[in-house]
Amino acid sequence: MSDSATVRKEMSISDEIAIEITGMNKWYGAFHVLKDINMTVRRGERIVVCGPSGSGKSTLIRCVNRLEVHQEGTIIVDGTELSSDLKNIDKIRSEVGMCFQHFNLFPHLTVLENLTLAPIWVRKTPQKEARETAMHFLEKVKIPEQAAKYPGQLSGGQQQRVAIARSLCMKPRIMLFDEPTSALDPEMIKEVLDTMIELAEEGMTMIVVTHEMGFARQVANRVIFMDEGQIVEQNEPQEFFNNPKSERTKLFLSQILGH
Amino acid sequence: MTMINDQSYVRTEMLGEKSPPVSNVGIIGWMKNNLFSSPLNIVLSLLSIFAIYSVLAALLPWVFGGVWYASSLTECRAILFEIHGEATKRACWGVIRERFWQLMYGFYPSDLYWRPNLALVWLFAAIAPVLFNGLPKKMLLVSVAFPFVAPWLIWGGSFWVPVMAFMGFVVGFLVHRITSKTISSLVGIILGVLAALLWWLLLSGPIAEMMESIVPLEITKVGSRQIGGFMLAILLGITGITLSFPIGIVLALGRLSNLVIVKALCVGFIEFIRGVPLITLLFVASVLLNYFLPKGTQFDIILRVMIMITFFAAAYMAEVIRGGLAALPKGQYEAADALGLDYWQAQRLIILPQALKISIPGIVSNFIGLFKDTTLVSIIALSDPLGWVKLIQGNAEWNGVIWELYGFVAFVFFLFCFGMSRYSMYLERKLQTGH
Ligand SMILES: Nc1ncnc2c1ncn2[C@@H]1O[C@H](COP(=O)(O)OP(=O)(O)OP(=O)(O)O)[C@@H](O)[C@H]1O
Ligand SMILES: [Mg+2]
């Protein structure tokens, strides 16, 4: 890694390993979606995953919190190996936050209830404390005034920020983002990215599937390119964008960046 | 001439509000838009108005010109003849006035009417916490006591019977508590259920008798054959509704479960029950069940019918709820999982509240259907309202009265069903959260 002085490098990355994936394979029926995935994420790293549609990006990060089950290899999150043991799965899920493309807020609950639900039922936090934490994170994503509304009454960008706040209320050590801005209008993308940048600056370990290359350049310390279920190339953003090694990466970048 | 090209304009005075043209508002505007907007519409409207008029012109005098004070059909006809002459048709409401309490309570002893009445009031208190939020927690005690107190009020007998029935739950819970801690949670559930069943089958009867002999707390017994009329319909309807709802939820979840055996059992149950007419199940309850049960077992006829009606309704309920579950986007399950909620928490807090809300119209249709289906029990010789209609017609005084009795029964059923339907619409509006 180069040690040029960018903002990015000031964010500390420890030697502690947050996620370790070795020899992981996954099939949907007979379809081999993920092929021999090996990757290590250290605490404080911000990783951007990109690649063409259908390359398995979503499947990969969904395996990390066991929304999808892998068939071969090991995934170790925070020192706990993902197996069919329900206790381990619940433990990992409460440590790993996830934001979805379509927000997936609970439409029958108010914003505040969306935020306090998991802390109260999973972490057994007292109501009052859960509400205070929720307000704290709503302020952080800059929409405390929406607390009493229902998700259906908010704009897309506001909903995604609520979804981020909802994950943060569980005080996760790792955050996964699956194309958090791709269902949003252009003017709302920025407000969500700003929230994510702020999160990164605080040292959150993040894996972000996104096509926002500006975000990758500014925040990521590593970019992973996937194609046909495999990791084709990974590098720090500077190198990755300016000097891609693989032909597939070059093709992908030329399509996504215009010329 | 140059003024023509000058487009600039400044308003010096703001316009006040004018009321819209008469032709668009008010009753005239409404009629013009909705009833008489085109020649075809005009013809249809006039025909409909004529049809409604003819029905009402025949019905209203019959209903409101009816005779209330007559103690037999002949007497009623004589009164009518005196007033109106030969040809007029008027209702003989005397039959309703005279037999009102029987249509309502059947042969239930009239000095004990307060008992089912109290049970009904208790029911409203018991469901209040479900219908309205923000009631004190202590109200839940009233709800918990209801299923034990209500049967005792209706059938009477020793107070120790409901107490011992309740103790069965306590025993089961304690056994579950102890074994699930020391062995495993699944074993805990199984042993808990077994313990409760053993208690009810073997211990609760003798212990209740013993307690009764020490501290007698008995009220007059009323037999199941004495319960009839709308009381029976409401009794069957309410138990059917309240029991089929949770059972239906469990069946729907079971049908969607990954556990193969659970799934197969639920599918089998639902498909079997849905494939058989309710009448058949009722005959099974009244005739066949006795044949299979050991000689001498007293298994109450109303209880048997309740079980059949509940099963029947639960199978339909399960399918309606399954429709609601299927309508939920997959993202809701995933979000619940990703937050670390376990299966039951996710179901209770996220999935079911939304799925049930979607299914409200279907669920309430089922409730209404179930309530009306309770009239089928007259076929197995239980005296529900229709059973009573036949009993009354069998009397010499009222032999030949048809419309008044059936009309009255239909009217009361309509009130209940319409009430349920309005409540469901209110509920849907209340749960609307803007999306
Ligand atoms: N539940 C499923 N069953 C079968 N195949 C699936 C399933 N989910 C995804 N796939 C397939 O797996 C492949 C990878 O899907 P995935 O959603 O991970 O792609 P992606 O890289 O996230 O694409 P996108 O950029 O479009 O989101 C695709 O070919 C998809 O069709
Ligand atoms: Mg995807």
Side-chain angles (χ1 to χ4, degrees):
Chain A
M1 279 198 193
S2 84
D3 45 16
S4 60
T6 56
V7 192
R8 179 169 6 113
K9 292 298 167 289
E10 283 163 23
M11 306 175 197
S12 64
I13 298 172
S14 77
D15 288 336
E16 193 189 336
I17 288 173
I19 303 172
E20 185 163 32
I21 303 177
T22 31
M24 194 259 275
N25 282 280
K26 171 167 179 60
W27 289 263
Y28 281 124
F31 175 51
H32 200 169
V33 223
L34 293 178
K35 300 167 189 159
D36 191 33
I37 304 288
N38 291 289
M39 73 188 265
T40 308
V41 180
R42 276 168 301 154
R43 185 152 316 287
E45 272 200 290
R46 283 106 23 218
I47 294 179
V48 162
V49 181
C50 61
S53 178
S55 55
K57 309 177 297 287
S58 300
T59 313
L60 173 63
I61 66 166
R62 290 157 60 86
C63 281
V64 173
N65 68 349
R66 198 113 174 152
L67 287 182
E68 300 289 352
V69 179
H70 64 282
Q71 282 90 19
E72 262 179 24
T74 54
I75 302 178
I76 299 175
V77 180
D78 257 341
T80 314
E81 185 181 342
L82 274 176
S83 59
S84 48
D85 188 343
L86 286 175
K87 281 219 180 75
N88 284 352
I89 296 175
D90 284 341
K91 178 162 173 285
I92 287 171
R93 281 178 177 165
S94 62
E95 305 269 311
V96 179
M98 178 150 190
C99 289
F100 302 86
Q101 184 175 3
H102 297 289
F103 332 132
N104 297 356
L105 293 174
F106 305 131
H108 62 302
L109 301 176
T110 62
V111 167
L112 191 65
E113 288 165 343
N114 263 278
L115 266 61
T116 55
L117 183 107
I120 290 175
W121 290 96
V122 179
R123 290 246 191 276
K124 315 286 179 212
T125 316
Q127 287 236 353
K128 186 158 165 286
E129 193 186 322
R131 231 174 278 143
E132 279 161 11
T133 317
M135 286 315 293
H136 167 75
F137 282 113
L138 275 184
E139 260 152 45
K140 204 169 137 81
V141 300
K142 304 196 177 61
I143 34 175
E145 71 283 359
Q146 312 286 0
K149 286 197 184 163
Y150 286 96
Q153 300 163 327
L154 303 186
S155 76
Q158 291 173 326
Q159 290 192 40
Q160 192 59 290
R161 284 184 284 158
V162 171
I164 295 175
R166 178 175 71 178
S167 298
L168 293 179
C169 282
M170 288 293 280
K171 308 269 171 67
R173 307 187 69 188
I174 301 166
M175 284 286 290
L176 309 173
F177 293 84
D178 191 357
E179 308 204 23
T181 56
S182 58
L184 297 177
D185 292 339
E187 72 266 30
M188 294 172 190
I189 292 180
K190 187 171 174 297
E191 61 189 47
V192 171
L193 289 182
D194 284 348
T195 309
M196 291 168 61
I197 291 170
E198 203 177 309
L199 206 57
E201 281 166 357
E202 286 167 13
M204 176 68 78
T205 313
M206 298 163 70
I207 305 183
V208 184
V209 175
T210 185
H211 292 139
E212 294 295 330
M213 290 306 144
F215 175 81
R217 276 179 203 274
Q218 190 186 344
V219 197
N221 61 295
R222 186 146 48 108
V223 180
I224 291 181
F225 173 68
M226 287 185 72
D227 195 11
E228 292 177 8
Q230 308 162 57
I231 296 181
V232 174
E233 182 161 354
Q234 54 175 315
N235 213 333
E236 60 174 283
Q238 205 77 8
E239 275 294 291
F240 180 85
F241 289 113
N242 298 344
N243 197 4
K245 302 284 184 306
S246 136
E247 286 307 315
R248 286 168 183 274
T249 318
K250 283 179 197 160
L251 182 66
F252 175 73
L253 286 177
S254 71
Q255 281 165 350
I256 199 168
L257 298 174
H259 334 278
Chain B
M1 300 306 118
T2 54
M3 290 298 280
I4 290 171
N5 286 335
D6 188 359
Q7 304 254 313
S8 70
Y9 167 77
V10 176
R11 185 179 287 288
T12 52
E13 216 179 313
M14 301 309 281
L15 296 177
E17 273 189 28
K18 278 200 325 190
S19 45
V22 193
S23 60
N24 285 327
V25 291
I27 186 117
I28 296 177
W30 184 87
M31 290 202 327
K32 208 168 153 187
N33 286 333
N34 294 292
L35 297 180
F36 305 109
S37 58
S38 71
L40 178 67
N41 203 342
I42 291 174
V43 173
L44 290 178
S45 296
L46 290 177
L47 282 176
S48 312
I49 289 170
F50 178 71
I52 293 171
Y53 169 79
S54 328
V55 170
L56 289 184
L59 193 64
L60 291 183
W62 184 81
V63 170
F64 292 102
V67 175
W68 283 92
Y69 293 90
S71 54
S72 74
L73 191 59
T74 357
E75 190 188 336
C76 168
R77 293 225 167 112
I79 296 175
L80 281 176
F81 183 77
E82 224 167 83
I83 308 175
H84 302 288
E86 183 70 69
T88 38
K89 289 210 167 69
R90 293 288 194 278
C92 290
W93 294 124
V95 62
I96 305 297
R97 190 182 57 86
E98 215 182 73
R99 300 304 188 99
F100 180 78
W101 297 110
Q102 288 179 336
L103 281 167
M104 287 295 158
Y105 292 90
F107 285 122
Y108 206 86
S110 55
D111 56 329
L112 298 180
Y113 283 170
W114 64 271
R115 279 174 21 187
N117 293 350
L118 177 61
L120 193 64
V121 173
W122 198 310
L123 170 78
F124 286 119
I127 58 173
V130 183
L131 300 185
F132 313 100
N133 18 21
L135 291 170
K137 278 247 158 63
K138 285 214 177 97
M139 283 285 287
L140 278 178
L141 281 181
V142 176
S143 314
V144 170
F146 178 75
F148 304 98
V149 175
W152 176 65
L153 280 174
I154 291 170
W155 278 277
S158 165
F159 184 65
W160 291 107
V161 173
V163 171
M164 288 306 134
F166 178 74
M167 288 305 290
F169 286 98
V170 176
V171 168
F173 178 74
L174 286 180
V175 169
H176 165 71
R177 218 16 211 289
I178 295 163
T179 49
S180 66
K181 282 251 173 65
T182 52
I183 312 172
S184 84
S185 64
L186 185 66
V187 175
I189 292 173
I190 296 172
L191 285 182
V193 172
L194 278 181
L197 285 178
L198 278 180
W199 172 270
W200 285 320
L201 290 178
L202 300 177
L203 293 175
S204 71
I207 295 182
E209 257 168 53
M210 195 185 73
M211 292 306 291
E212 179 64 32
S213 62
I214 301 170
V215 189
L217 282 174
E218 200 176 71
I219 55 175
T220 321
K221 274 190 184 157
V222 180
S224 280
R225 293 280 171 194
Q226 287 173 279
I227 296 173
F230 277 103
M231 181 184 161
L232 178 63
I234 293 171
L235 185 63
L236 292 174
I238 286 172
T239 43
I241 286 170
T242 45
L243 294 179
S244 70
F245 187 53
I247 297 177
I249 292 177
V250 171
L251 285 172
L253 292 179
R255 188 165 191 169
L256 295 172
S257 146
N258 295 325
L259 308 170
V260 181
I261 297 180
V262 172
K263 183 176 174 148
L265 284 177
C266 292
V267 173
F269 180 88
I270 292 170
E271 295 303 335
F272 173 74
I273 298 278
R274 281 204 310 172
V276 177
L278 178 56
I279 296 262
T280 321
L281 293 178
L282 292 178
F283 275 123
V284 169
S286 82
V287 187
L288 275 180
L289 226 49
N290 262 1
Y291 186 77
F292 286 118
L293 287 172
K295 279 247 151 49
T297 6
Q298 285 291 317
F299 197 26
D300 190 88
I301 176 73
I302 290 190
L303 191 60
R304 281 181 268 158
V305 167
M306 272 177 183
I307 292 174
M308 287 304 176
I309 289 184
T310 303
F311 281 177
F312 190 75
Y316 281 88
M317 192 64 65
E319 289 300 282
V320 170
I321 293 170
R322 189 166 69 94
L325 288 169
L328 272 203
K330 209 167 144 243
Q332 293 291 310
Y333 293 87
E334 290 177 351
D337 281 347
L339 284 171
L341 297 170
D342 66 31
Y343 176 81
W344 290 108
Q345 287 173 335
Q347 291 297 341
R348 188 160 53 89
L349 302 167
I350 310 296
I351 308 302
L352 283 176
Q354 297 183 62
L356 293 181
K357 185 184 130 191
I358 300 173
S359 346
I360 287 174
I363 292 174
V364 175
S365 291
N366 265 4
F367 285 169
I368 290 175
L370 181 156
F371 185 52
K372 291 187 298 183
D373 279 352
T374 58
T375 50
L376 288 174
V377 299
S378 62
I379 287 174
I380 55 167
L382 280 175
S383 49
D384 83 307
L386 289 189
W388 264 99
V389 167
K390 280 186 211 125
L391 280 179
I392 295 171
Q393 287 169 338
N395 270 320
E397 303 95 78
W398 295 112
N399 197 339
V401 169
I402 298 171
W403 292 100
E404 290 83 347
L405 284 168
Y406 283 119
F408 175 73
V409 171
F411 178 69
V412 176
F413 267 108
F414 175 78
L415 284 187
F416 278 106
C417 296
F418 188 64
M420 282 194 252
S421 155
R422 299 306 297 187
Y423 179 74
S424 96
M425 286 159 83
Y426 157 79
L427 203 59
E428 274 178 74
R429 247 177 293 123
K430 194 177 98 169
L431 297 178
Q432 194 67 40
T433 56
H435 48 265

